[in-house]
Amino acid sequence: MSDNTSHVGFGELPLDERLTIAREGTSWFARHLAGISDGDLDEPSSLPGWSRKHLVAHVGYNAAALTNLVTWASTGVETPMYPSAQQRNTEIEEGATLSAAALRNLFDHTAARLDEGWRHLAADRWDFPVRTIQGRTVAASETAWMRTREVWIHTVDLGSGATFDGFGEPILVSLFDDVLGAWRRQSAGGRLRLVVDDGAPTDVDPAFDGARSQVIGTLAAVVGWMCGRSTDGIANPDDVPPPRWL
Ligand code: ZN
């Protein structure tokens, strides 16, 4: 959405507003989680191969991993998100075998610890460089966006009725940019032309010289489709699947 200046992205908001959006996402996830019975936590989530329990464990451990980055920024002592990618996956598999009560606790406790870390991080430490599990070096303030992405999208993945229509515009604008950037880096989806409402179309590969495939909808619908979550409200005449982005 970078070509459309009327839209404000997440990264353009002041830090306190970014943290508020992350916290609102945690609350949204918590409300949906509270509405799912213990028994229904064993049912599949919308993510292939993952039960809702896998998802809750993952979102909980994600908060713990981001808390590590905040600690890293605070102390200056290298504290990776996870000891290894393997460890991260093992943790989720084992987490999914916990009782419903233990998982609800894990979610609450890890979210509270992350919030506490954010509240105590000194103003001059938010720019401190930390490294993500993907090996990217980012400022500690990026944890606000990393958490926002996780909790908002994974609330939809709980499969209890949440949709991208519930996202605020800054989240949608920044997700649009994230996915578009990932596709461009991977040279994926070059023939796609994304058309949001009546706005200017965005060509994934502006240099592509063939017949383009249009994907048309509201910003929420297009972003939900780009994230591989939903085809609701989308016109996609060539029936193109969205390329992977993560
Ligand atoms: Zn995730």
Side-chain angles (χ1 to χ4, degrees):
M1 299 257 85
S2 38
D3 54 342
N4 191 336
T5 48
S6 67
H7 294 287
V8 174
F10 185 87
E12 296 160 71
L13 299 173
L15 178 62
D16 62 335
E17 284 180 40
R18 283 181 269 155
L19 292 172
T20 297
I21 291 174
R23 291 176 179 124
E24 286 169 352
T26 295
S27 303
W28 199 42
F29 189 96
R31 281 201 303 282
H32 276 269
L33 179 57
I36 298 171
S37 70
D38 287 356
D40 284 349
L41 281 181
D42 289 316
E43 297 296 315
S45 73
S46 307
L47 292 180
W50 271 14
S51 68
R52 285 169 167 155
K53 281 188 162 181
H54 282 97
L55 193 58
V56 176
H58 165 62
V59 171
Y61 291 130
N62 167 263
L66 294 176
T67 304
N68 286 344
L69 295 186
V70 175
T71 302
W72 183 350
S74 164
T75 61
V77 178
E78 179 169 337
T79 316
M81 293 178 72
Y82 306 92
S84 67
Q86 176 57 42
Q87 173 79 24
R88 170 185 176 275
N89 295 336
T90 306
E91 202 172 53
I92 294 167
E93 284 305 325
E94 289 176 0
T97 68
L98 294 172
S99 71
L103 277 170
R104 292 179 196 278
N105 250 315
L106 173 76
F107 173 81
D108 290 342
H109 177 76
T110 52
R113 273 202 58 219
L114 176 59
D115 202 42
E116 192 181 310
W118 279 338
R119 275 189 284 112
H120 289 105
L121 190 61
D124 63 350
R125 303 300 283 182
W126 287 90
D127 288 335
F128 193 88
V130 294
R131 201 173 53 251
T132 71
I133 181 86
Q134 287 90 11
R136 274 192 317 139
T137 297
V138 299
S141 58
E142 182 74 5
T143 55
W145 174 239
M146 292 164 76
R147 181 63 173 170
T148 292
R149 234 163 56 164
E150 286 289 312
V151 284
W152 286 90
I153 295 179
H154 288 326
T155 302
V156 173
D157 294 332
L158 278 173
S160 61
T163 70
F164 279 68
D165 286 325
F167 292 26
E169 185 172 271
I171 306 176
L172 294 172
V173 169
S174 289
L175 280 175
F176 184 100
D177 287 343
D178 266 23
V179 180
L180 182 64
W183 287 350
R184 285 177 171 166
R185 280 193 301 279
Q186 300 161 18
S187 303
R191 62 192 286 214
L192 286 168
R193 168 170 285 174
L194 306 165
V195 185
V196 171
D197 286 333
D198 302 326
T202 302
D203 291 332
V204 174
D205 178 3
F208 178 79
D209 71 347
R212 293 187 191 275
S213 296
Q214 298 203 78
V215 174
I216 308 161
T218 62
L219 181 58
V222 169
V223 171
W225 179 84
M226 291 171 79
C227 292
R229 269 24 188 222
S230 164
T231 55
D232 293 347
I234 285 292
N236 180 0
D238 295 341
D239 212 14
V240 189
R244 287 186 59 88
W245 66 293
L246 280 180

